Amino acid sequence: MSLPDAAVATSGGPLEGLLVADFSRVLAGPFATQQMADLGATVVKVESPVGDETRAWAPPERDGVSTYYLGINRNKYDVVLDFRDEGDRALALELARRADVVIENFKPGGLTKFGLDYDSVAAVNPAAIYASISGFGTAGGAALPGYDLIVQAASGLMSLTGSPDGPAYRSGVSVFDIMTGMQATVGILAALNHRQATGEGQHVEVNLLSTALAAMANHSSTYVAGGTVPFRMGNAHPSLFPYEPLPASDGEIIVVAANDAQFVKLAHALGRPELADDARFAQTEERNRNREELRPLLVEALAAHTIQEWFDILTEAGIACGPINTIDGGVALAERLGLEPVVSVGSGERAVPMIRNPIRFSRTPPRYDSPPPTLGEHDVFIRDWLASPATVLAATPATAPEGAPHA
C-alpha cells in the first residue's frame, strides 16, 4: 500500500492488497476498475448524488436497473460524495490519500477546482498512480467532450465501416471506450511495476482519439507509412482474400485463408483443388488482386452445403471459419466450447448473471463476489472507514463485516 494506514484485506487475486479510488463514470473508467476489481483490487466507486449516468441508460434493464450499468460495475463498494460539499471533498481527498490507484474521467482540469487533480493528490500521496481518461487529450482537445461515437467519426473508423457505396457506420460496440479502459489498465499496471522498483507514483494519461489511432493499427500504418488513405470495403479485407462472409446454401459464413497453405486446404475442402494451382490464385498477393475472379468460384462451391455443414467440413480440414451469430448465438457457442461465459455474481435474490472476465489464471482466478452496487449502498460503511485510519477494508462488499469496519 502507498501509506501504512491504508490497510486493505487480501483477497487472493493477483491484484490483492491494492486500493483503487474510482472517480470515473460511464464506460471506459468503470470497465478498467471492474477489471482490477475482478483481479483482487479493492475498488471504491465514488458517485455524485445523481449517480453514474449509465444507471439511467435504459431500456434494457434487469429488475429496474440498467443492464449497461450492471455490465461494468461488479465487485465494487459504492459511496456518494458531493464534491461541492467541503466535508465530502475532504473525504474524497482522504480516499485518494490512502489509495494506490486513483482513476478519473472528468474533462481535463475538471477536478482542479475541487482539489482532487493529480498535483493535489500527489501532494498528499506521492506514491499514488493517478490515471486520467479523456476524449482528446489535455492540449488543444481538452474542452472537447469524449463520446465514443464522436471519436469513431473523428478518428476515421466510421470511414472504414460500411459498404463501399453506402454511408459510414459506427461500430455496434463502443469500441474505443472499451479499448481506452483497457489501455488505462495496462498503463496503471505498468506504473505500479515502476513504483514497485522505485517507490515513485506518477500520472498516467490515456485518451480515446490516441487509442483509436493506435487500435486501427494496419489502417493507420497504411496512411502514415504508405501514404494511402484506406477506404470502406464492407466486410472485405484490404490485404487478404478470402477473409469475409461468403454465401452457403442457407446464409453467409465467414471463410478465412490468410496464407497460401491455408488456401490449398480450402481449395481441397471445397472440392476445387485446381484453384490452388491457378496462377491467379496461388499466392496471397495474386488472390488479393484477382478477388473478383476468385469470389464467384468460391461462391459456386459453397452453394453445395449449409452453414453448419461447411462449418463442420472446413473446421475438420483446419480452415478458419464461423457463422455470423447474434449475441445469444455467440454466448451459446462459448458455452459449447466449454468457455463458461456466464457467471453468477453475488448470491441470493441479488445475484446477477454477467459475462466472465476473459483472463484465465492458473493460481489466482478472477472473483465474482458482489453484484454492481446500488447508488450509495456503502455510504455509512465507507464514511466510517475513512474516519478510522487504522481499520481494514475488506476486498469486496461481499466479504465486508456487518456494520462499521473492523480493526
Side-chain angles (χ1 to χ4, degrees):
M1 300 303 299
S2 54
L3 291 171
D5 64 358
V8 174
T10 60
S11 66
L15 297 183
E16 64 178 345
L18 291 176
L19 175 61
V20 178
D22 183 4
F23 296 156
S24 71
R25 60 198 191 281
V26 188
L27 182 51
F31 182 84
T33 55
Q34 178 171 280
Q35 289 286 98
M36 289 185 279
D38 285 354
L39 302 184
T42 299
V43 175
V44 179
K45 181 178 178 69
V46 177
E47 299 191 65
S48 73
V50 298
D52 190 314
E53 293 97 310
T54 61
R55 289 182 179 276
W57 288 7
E61 57 190 66
R62 177 185 176 87
D63 297 331
V65 182
S66 160
T67 57
Y68 196 120
Y69 169 79
L70 289 176
I72 48 176
N73 284 291
R74 65 182 172 228
N75 290 329
K76 302 176 185 181
Y77 288 93
D78 192 282
V79 62
V80 171
L81 296 177
D82 186 347
F83 293 168
R84 296 168 299 180
D85 178 84
E86 183 179 357
D88 281 6
R89 284 199 306 275
L91 288 175
L93 185 60
E94 173 63 14
L95 175 60
R97 186 186 73 82
R98 299 185 186 195
D100 295 280
V101 176
V102 178
I103 184 167
E104 58 89 13
N105 60 352
F106 285 72
K107 280 187 180 180
L111 286 178
T112 302
K113 62 185 177 183
F114 301 121
L116 295 169
D117 57 298
Y118 171 66
D119 289 338
S120 298
V121 171
V124 298
N125 183 2
I129 308 303
Y130 189 107
S132 296
I133 299 172
S134 65
F136 296 90
T138 59
L144 299 176
Y147 289 97
D148 183 272
L149 175 59
I150 294 172
V151 176
Q152 287 197 33
S155 67
L157 178 69
M158 287 180 63
S159 76
L160 301 173
T161 309
S163 57
D165 55 353
Y169 279 98
R170 68 178 288 270
S171 166
V173 175
S174 295
V175 59
F176 294 140
D177 267 332
I178 294 295
M179 289 184 178
T180 303
M182 294 173 68
Q183 295 283 39
T185 304
V186 171
I188 288 166
L189 296 179
L192 285 168
N193 188 63
H194 175 79
R195 189 182 76 174
Q196 180 70 23
T198 67
E200 299 171 339
Q202 61 180 301
H203 195 184
V204 176
E205 297 179 83
V206 294
N207 68 79
L208 273 69
L209 181 57
S210 294
T211 295
L213 296 176
M216 287 188 288
N218 56 305
H219 296 290
S220 300
S221 180
T222 294
Y223 170 63
V224 299
T228 299
V229 178
F231 53 88
R232 280 195 298 285
M233 298 181 65
N235 288 317
H237 192 287
S239 305
L240 293 173
F241 185 82
Y243 192 98
E244 63 186 61
L246 293 170
S249 65
D250 62 343
E252 291 189 320
I253 182 172
I254 302 292
V255 178
V256 172
N259 58 48
D260 297 338
Q262 290 178 9
F263 184 71
V264 171
K265 289 182 180 181
L266 175 62
H268 282 266
L270 295 177
R272 299 293 300 272
E274 71 278 6
L275 295 178
D277 298 322
D278 191 315
R280 297 173 297 170
F281 314 136
Q283 295 182 324
T284 298
E285 189 172 334
E286 296 307 315
R287 286 192 299 279
N288 194 33
R289 286 200 174 100
N290 297 302
R291 62 177 65 197
E292 296 309 318
E293 288 80 12
L294 178 55
R295 182 181 285 104
L297 301 177
L298 298 179
V299 170
E300 180 183 29
L302 288 166
H305 296 290
T306 65
I307 294 171
Q308 185 59 51
E309 289 169 342
W310 279 124
F311 180 76
D312 295 338
I313 292 168
L314 297 180
T315 299
E316 179 65 25
I319 298 158
C321 64
I324 302 174
N325 289 326
T326 50
I327 294 291
D328 57 331
V331 171
L333 175 61
E335 289 173 341
R336 289 199 301 274
L337 297 177
L339 298 179
E340 301 175 313
V342 180
V343 292
S344 181
V345 181
S347 59
E349 294 182 355
R350 288 198 59 195
V352 178
M354 298 182 70
I355 292 296
R356 179 182 296 277
N357 188 299
I359 306 173
R360 301 271 179 157
F361 292 86
S362 62
R363 295 186 183 275
T364 54
R367 67 186 186 204
Y368 308 99
D369 295 338
S370 59
T374 59
L375 180 61
E377 180 174 343
H378 309 104
D379 268 0
V380 173
F381 188 88
I382 295 299
R383 287 171 181 271
D384 285 352
W385 172 68
L386 289 171
S388 307
T391 59
V392 173
L393 182 63
T396 64
T399 56
E402 294 295 330
H406 62 288

